[in-house]
Amino acid sequence: MAARILHRLRHALGAEGAREERTHDGVEAEDCPESSELEDDTEGLSTRLSGTLSFSGHEEDEEEEEEDGGGEELPAGDAAQDGGRCWDGYPGRPPPPRQLSPSPRTEWGPAARPGSLLTRQLQELWRRSRSSLVPQRLLFEVTSASVVSERSSKYVLYTIYLIRSGQLDKAPAAISRRYSDFERLNRRLRGRFGCDMAGIAFPRKRLRRNFTAETIAKRSRAFEQFLSHLHSIAEIRRSPEFLEFFFLQDLRAAQRLTCTGMYREALATWANAYRLQDRLGVCGSGRFLLTLAGLVVCHQELDQLGEAHGCCEQALQLLEAQDSHPLLGPFLQAHVHLAWKVGKDKRQSEARLQGLQEAGVPLQQQPSLKECLIKEPLE
């Protein structure tokens, strides 16, 4: 693959040099688009049984090209990252917008030839081409499976990591689910997306030999393929049924731990829910704002004021154009208090609070972030 891409780059650079020589001779060169120089030549759903299964078919590539070219609608992950300001860690810096742009041209001197291109220039051209043309993939990998025996039941618990291809995640986003959880997701999606789900396979239930190593291994690979195939369909990966399968359990557990005062355990659960929503590209939703509120409360209770302040700032940037959101007042009040504690600028939040008060919002009657967490129903 690498040799093929380098051959295309050399061919493009040689053609460019020839066009410029013809221009010097009085012949006007014709511009050719460079955005199609690199292609993803993988086809279909990978069936590797010894690693993570990922969907990288031409159908998804065509869909992404149509959406990017038409400028009407981005996929869920891209829309949240560009328009919803999705960060990799909290508090963090928003990534620069991803643009599909042609590779930069190289200026040639009068005596220069394409073969004299320096190695570092070729590497820079390759790096920019990859970063601008190759979309990120979300991979699902079953990293472990354990047999759990309870009083009246016995089941296998599968641990799945959500991994962004081409990136090294500092902390994993992980879920633990049993067969019945996958079966419930499959049933709900088939009830809503019958046509899209018609070609998606699901491992059938067995009456015997459910706990053998062979069965567990086969189901692990089948669940990887099942999730990858679901994520490849835009309507399904944006649906509440698919998204809540990943992070709703964590949100409920984190809320319960916060209400009982177990802030350290709650913080770890809120943080995992944050990473799951980040990987799935839903960083502008109400669930994500609730997650940030949980992180602020737990960091503050554990006297980690700098981290709490950073989460507040991220939430306020997401709420920049939402003056009527019920969490805006509590976040502003928490930000003013935390900014005073850590010695940061709080004038913008104070001015915004003043604007809400002048608009008739009863700030004195608004609940705190902690009270919002306790009262929020997570069904």
Side-chain angles (χ1 to χ4, degrees):
M1 182 65 182
R4 182 180 177 184
I5 293 172
L6 289 176
H7 174 72
R8 291 183 181 180
L9 288 175
R10 293 192 188 101
H11 178 72
L13 293 173
E16 183 178 358
R19 286 198 303 271
E20 295 204 2
E21 288 179 359
R22 289 198 301 270
T23 303
H24 288 308
D25 294 336
V27 180
E28 184 176 355
E30 180 181 352
D31 291 334
C32 292
E34 299 179 16
S35 59
S36 61
E37 281 299 310
L38 298 180
E39 298 177 348
D40 188 354
D41 61 351
T42 56
E43 296 183 4
L45 185 64
S46 172
T47 55
R48 298 190 304 272
L49 295 182
S50 59
T52 304
L53 295 176
S54 61
F55 188 91
S56 55
H58 286 298
E59 180 180 353
E60 186 184 31
D61 292 339
E62 292 175 0
E63 176 191 354
E64 290 180 359
E65 288 176 8
E66 180 181 351
E67 289 171 345
D68 291 340
E72 295 178 359
E73 184 179 5
L74 289 172
D78 296 338
Q81 288 180 357
D82 294 342
R85 299 180 184 178
C86 196
W87 289 265
D88 185 29
Y90 59 87
R93 183 179 305 168
R98 182 175 63 86
Q99 298 179 351
L100 293 180
S101 58
S103 303
R105 293 182 178 269
T106 304
E107 296 295 332
W108 301 97
R113 293 290 183 270
S116 64
L117 184 66
L118 297 177
T119 303
R120 63 175 179 271
Q121 291 176 309
L122 183 59
Q123 291 174 344
E124 177 67 13
L125 185 63
W126 162 249
R127 184 187 63 81
R128 291 184 183 181
S129 299
R130 280 188 62 86
S131 62
S132 61
L133 297 176
V134 180
Q136 290 185 0
R137 308 281 183 188
L138 186 63
L139 310 179
F140 302 90
E141 181 174 357
V142 177
T143 59
S144 66
S146 56
V147 178
V148 179
S149 298
E150 294 181 346
R151 294 180 180 177
S152 57
S153 64
K154 183 179 180 182
Y155 57 89
V156 180
L157 196 64
Y158 300 87
T159 299
I160 303 104
Y161 277 22
L162 280 66
I163 304 169
R164 283 180 294 214
S165 65
Q167 289 191 4
L168 179 61
D169 293 322
K170 297 178 181 179
I175 61 172
S176 294
R177 299 290 184 269
R178 51 191 292 185
Y179 180 90
S180 58
D181 297 321
F182 286 98
E183 188 180 37
R184 188 180 306 111
L185 173 64
N186 179 59
R187 187 171 60 251
R188 293 179 67 189
L189 291 177
R190 290 188 187 278
R192 182 179 174 188
F193 304 100
C195 294
D196 291 324
M197 294 291 294
I200 300 179
F202 186 78
R204 61 184 180 181
K205 214 165 193 176
R206 300 170 63 102
L207 297 178
R208 295 180 300 174
R209 300 179 60 82
N210 283 308
F211 304 104
T212 64
E214 181 182 3
T215 299
I216 293 174
K218 286 183 178 180
R219 279 189 176 175
S220 298
R221 302 301 178 257
F223 288 147
E224 289 177 349
Q225 182 173 357
F226 176 67
L227 294 176
S228 297
H229 204 161
L230 293 179
H231 189 262
S232 72
I233 303 173
E235 291 78 7
I236 292 180
R237 70 168 174 259
R238 297 170 185 162
S239 66
E241 293 86 353
F242 179 76
L243 294 172
E244 291 178 355
F245 169 80
F246 289 94
F247 54 79
L248 186 57
Q249 287 189 22
D250 273 10
L251 291 180
R252 288 172 175 167
Q255 183 188 51
R256 184 171 58 253
L257 291 168
T258 304
C259 292
T260 56
M262 303 177 67
Y263 298 111
R264 195 168 300 279
E265 294 82 359
L267 178 60
T269 311
W270 286 119
N272 189 62
Y274 178 104
R275 291 190 292 270
L276 287 169
Q277 293 171 85
D278 174 54
R279 304 295 188 273
L280 293 166
V282 287
C283 296
S285 66
R287 302 289 200 198
F288 189 71
L289 287 169
L290 186 70
T291 305
L292 287 172
L295 290 169
V296 171
V297 170
C298 291
H299 279 307
Q300 194 170 4
E301 293 289 344
L302 296 172
D303 204 27
Q304 300 169 358
L305 303 183
E307 289 82 355
H309 176 265
C311 292
C312 257
E313 288 202 325
Q314 184 176 347
L316 290 177
Q317 290 186 47
L318 292 171
L319 291 168
E320 190 172 355
Q322 303 183 46
D323 291 336
S324 60
H325 197 283
L327 287 176
L328 177 59
F331 268 119
L332 285 171
Q333 291 175 331
H335 184 260
V336 169
H337 174 73
L338 289 166
W340 177 77
K341 286 277 191 180
V342 299
K344 300 288 186 179
D345 186 12
K346 54 186 174 64
R347 289 173 294 179
Q348 187 175 357
S349 293
E350 288 176 333
R352 204 168 175 189
L353 277 172
Q354 182 66 27
L356 290 178
Q357 195 167 10
E358 292 173 357
V361 178
L363 296 177
Q364 300 298 330
Q365 302 176 12
Q366 288 204 334
S368 65
L369 281 180
K370 188 174 182 180
E371 291 171 338
C372 291
L373 285 177
I374 295 173
K375 296 177 181 178
E376 180 70 19
L378 290 173
E379 299 176 357

